[in-house]
Amino acid sequence: MRVQGQSYRSVWLEGSVVRMIDQRLLPHEFAILNCPTSCDTAQAIKAMAVRGAGAIGVAAGFGMAQAALGAPDASFAASIEDAARMFRATRPTARDLFYAIERLETAIRQASDSATARRQAVETATRLADENAAAGERIGLVGEPLLREGARVMTQCNAGWLAFADWGSALSPIYQAHRLGKRPFVYVPETRPRGQGAKLTAWELSEEGVPHTLIADTACGSFFQRGEVDCVIVGADRIAANGDVANKIGTYTLALLARHHHVPFYVAAPRSTFDLAT
């Protein structure tokens, strides 16, 4: 996605260094955070330098690859176990985090020796990031037809390209519709207490040139009451086997408002967000 006309992903690997857009500084400063070690990457996840279930999963995948690259041969398996334990403790609500760790553990375990394991870890983490970006783009292609010309969309928190490797989930259909000239308009609740809507979603939409307005969380109901919302699209931290969705605080309120006012409510998420064991 574009930042000041330049294309970026939210998280990527250069050599053995994980690089990511530092979301803590937005919207006032755009800066890249460098994480030279797996411990640095885990701390970045825990400190919310990277946010959004998909981006967290991508960062954890790259972090596990870092752990493999830095693990000594003599204690290789134990080092990988320690790294997996460390990453699982960073953001326990995000299913994509656990999905990434499991993918990397499997790739490493199947390797015949530590050298092969290091190579397979990097390849698997890179593939996982590419899959995440492709899933975001696919969500946009599937979701775009749901938005009519000039659709007024409400979202919650940040489920845009900052929350994925690229494209995002809830915002991806909006980006696709915007690029097709359908002129969508987005209501962006500020999303207390962390302000992801105010700090991240509004910034993303500005960079992409999508018309939007920032509103107080407590104002959402009044827009429904006046018939000014055509649909709601949100992302998800985790989706249970029965379809229940866990997402940012405030999502439940929007779901009830949408149901009461007969407004379509959509959850946009990749398969990696589904937790069939829950």
Side-chain angles (χ1 to χ4, degrees), residues 37-265:
T37 70
S38 59
C39 291
D40 295 325
T41 302
Q43 180 56 34
I45 296 172
K46 193 170 185 177
M48 299 185 77
V50 59
R51 308 178 201 181
I56 289 169
V58 171
F62 285 141
M64 287 292 292
Q66 283 179 305
L69 290 172
D73 289 340
S75 57
F76 188 83
S79 296
I80 297 303
E81 288 179 11
D82 289 343
R85 192 178 304 112
M86 174 178 66
F87 279 104
R88 284 191 175 96
T90 55
R91 293 291 298 279
T93 61
R95 169 59 193 161
D96 291 73
L97 172 86
F98 293 84
Y99 174 80
I101 295 168
E102 290 161 8
R103 283 275 300 269
L104 267 292
E105 284 182 312
T106 299
I108 292 169
R109 188 167 52 248
Q110 290 176 344
S112 57
D113 52 57
S114 57
T116 304
R118 293 185 181 97
R119 185 182 69 253
Q120 290 187 180
V122 172
E123 290 174 353
T124 301
T126 302
R127 186 162 54 250
L128 190 147
D130 291 342
E131 290 171 358
N132 184 258
E137 184 175 16
R138 181 64 181 158
I139 287 170
L141 295 172
V142 171
E144 174 272 318
L146 301 172
L147 303 181
R148 63 169 178 78
E149 185 84 13
R152 299 162 298 178
V153 185
M154 189 173 286
T155 186
Q156 177 70 358
C157 195
N158 177 260
W161 70 270
L162 285 167
F164 265 52
D166 205 351
W167 284 101
S169 55
L171 295 191
S172 187
I174 295 168
Y175 290 141
Q176 294 282 4
H178 174 71
R179 293 185 180 189
L180 290 173
K182 294 175 73 172
R183 301 179 296 106
F185 179 87
V186 186
Y187 292 109
V188 184
E190 56 195 344
T191 317
R192 298 290 182 96
R194 286 277 187 169
Q196 290 98 324
K199 295 176 181 177
L200 305 179
T201 299
W203 177 81
E204 271 196 46
L205 294 170
S206 295
E207 291 294 325
E208 188 68 17
V210 177
H212 64 282
T213 190
L214 180 66
I215 63 174
D217 291 346
T218 51
C220 293
S222 66
F223 289 96
F224 282 92
Q225 190 271 332
R226 295 200 299 268
E228 296 179 8
V229 181
D230 296 313
C231 70
V232 180
I233 310 178
V234 300
D237 281 336
R238 188 179 295 241
I239 300 175
N242 70 334
D244 283 353
V245 173
N247 194 50
K248 186 68 179 180
I249 189 99
T251 303
Y252 180 69
T253 304
L254 292 187
L256 292 181
L257 284 167
R259 182 178 177 85
H260 179 75
H261 292 281
H262 308 291
V263 172
F265 184 98

